[in-house]
Amino acid sequence: MRYYLGLDNGGTSTKAALFDTEGRQIGVEAAATDAITPAPGFVERDMDDMWQDNCRVIRALLEKTGINSRKIAGIGLCGHGKGLYLWGKDEQPVRRGILSADNRAWKYQMDWRTDGTEKAAFALSCQHVMACQPVALLAWLRDHEPGVLENIKWVFACKDYVRFRLTGEARAEVTDYSGSGLMNLHTKSFDPALLKLFGIEAIASALPPLCNSLEIAGRITAEAAQATGLAEGTPVIGGMFDIDACALAVNVTDEEHICMIAGTWSINEYIRREPVTDGRVLMNSLFCLPEYYLIEESSPTSAGNNEWFIQQLLPELVQEAKAQSKSIYALMNQWAEEFSAADFMPIFLPFLTASNVDPRARAAFIGLNASHSRKHMLRAVYEGIAFSHRHHLEKLLDTRDGHPCRIRLAGGAARSPVWTRIFADVMNCPVETVTADETGALGCSVAVATALGDYATPTKAAAAMCRLSAPIYPDPEAAKAYDKKYNLYQKAIQCLDDLWPDMQAYIEDGD
């Protein structure tokens, strides 16, 4: 029996999962990601701790499953996009890694939009600039941490750093780097003109050689084998941006369906053979199937808000659930099921770390009254996150000829039947999920199976290895209720437009 190992380094957890050649999940091990927030809008992680987390989950997975590491035919990786992981000329991390939820460079995003830099860059990169992209973060480091850029040996994305630690080979996999603002999507290569536009020419020599998702980009070194328990020489593929991996795992291998991922980020995407170059969508990037581009609308406004709700508003229930070996998520789903779509909930703006309407916007509950409890607030969080996804979906639909046949949902919301139902009703579209818990790792395994020749194409591998649930169809009356609620959500955001600049000014200097 052959197995594939998928590693998923997300914004809130590090996971390792084993799959067999038919896509059955054999085992999974996870560790919570320790985020460091040294200042408002800053979200970082220790890069050495991150590497150790990967080693620990791999070792624990091998021990739990009892599978001999030599039976693992290959390894695939995915990770959060955007953010920044810098390796130094002294063969150590230059500084802490920066996660994709980081918003420190918001002013660069706004300034470049105002002065025409973004427009000039879009002609090459086919992307609007985001505060969490490497181009913005590198510019921020240039101005705020002198000497950092000069010490960089390699500029890594999240999963490319982990692959480097596993193999000793520095490679830049195209699905991640094509979303970094550093690549010309027309030539599919790094472009010095982009570096010049953003004033970061100093890092040109630190951009690793490009590789594709499905190519073998290195093999497990002796040092990594000792640290992880993996067999030395095991092939490691290029891997992919986690949103590509999830799309592959829910079998989005044609232009018919839309993939939504409700994780730390609200990811909303579909694939097509040409990029959308008129500026109507946030991002175009290269998909893991080389004939396609990934059309993306996204923001860090999804289930990460739910984790905050758990930590800050349900601490005693978390402890009770743990003591009773129960799931806090099961309790939350029970709470959410107590309400109908027509019931009035406070409007929740899911902008705890960043926003998809204004980089200065903040989260809020609007419409709270004395009758509301934590149960109402939880349901409001579920609905507000779904509304944020709809905001992105409407932009995607504007670039398509017709409505999608199905929405394929992944991430935390996909594991909640009540939340999946809310998504179907809010989007007014059938929603399908996959039976595997770890979609990112499954997508990586689909890619490994293809790279090793076990399947002729990734499309055939996905068809064989991905198992979809029965679709959840929208309820017409619930969809009508959510149309009205979504209008309230939009009006609430519009009413607060003039508040955000003043609030940001107060946060920065108190004036």
Side-chain angles (χ1 to χ4, degrees), residues 23-96:
R24 287 186 288 261
Q25 186 172 298
I26 306 303
V28 62
E29 194 68 27
T33 295
D34 291 327
I36 303 166
T37 54
F42 289 46
V43 188
E44 303 181 345
R45 69 165 50 142
D46 183 283
M47 289 174 61
D48 286 325
D49 288 350
M50 176 183 171
W51 165 239
Q52 292 303 322
D53 284 346
N54 279 268
C55 295
R56 276 193 291 271
V57 295
I58 294 169
R59 280 193 169 278
L61 178 64
L62 294 174
E63 183 177 344
K64 183 197 297 188
T65 59
I67 289 174
N68 188 313
S69 62
R70 296 199 175 277
K71 291 186 177 181
I72 297 175
I75 300 164
L77 306 91
C78 67
H80 73 75
K82 322 302 187 287
L84 192 64
Y85 295 82
L86 302 175
W87 189 254
K89 294 175 181 177
D90 59 356
E91 302 301 336
Q92 298 293 327
V94 173
R95 66 178 317 281
R96 288 195 293 247

Side-chain angles (χ1 to χ4, degrees), residues 115-137:
D115 67 16
T117 299
E118 180 185 75
K119 183 178 180 180
F122 189 94
L124 303 173
S125 68
C126 301
Q127 295 160 15
H128 296 290
V129 176
M130 302 175 72
C132 60
Q133 278 185 297
V135 289
L137 294 170

Side-chain angles (χ1 to χ4, degrees), residues 8 40 53 221 310 320 332 337 364 374 402 422-423 432 477:
D8 185 351
D53 284 346
T221 64
I310 293 170
E320 289 176 17
M332 294 166 68
E337 287 173 342
R374 289 186 294 181
I422 290 171
F423 267 75
E432 296 173 325
E477 292 305 312

Side-chain angles (χ1 to χ4, degrees), residues 427-440:
M427 313 307 160
N428 198 17
C429 182
V431 171
E432 296 173 325
T433 62
V434 290
T435 57
D437 293 330
E438 302 304 331
T439 47

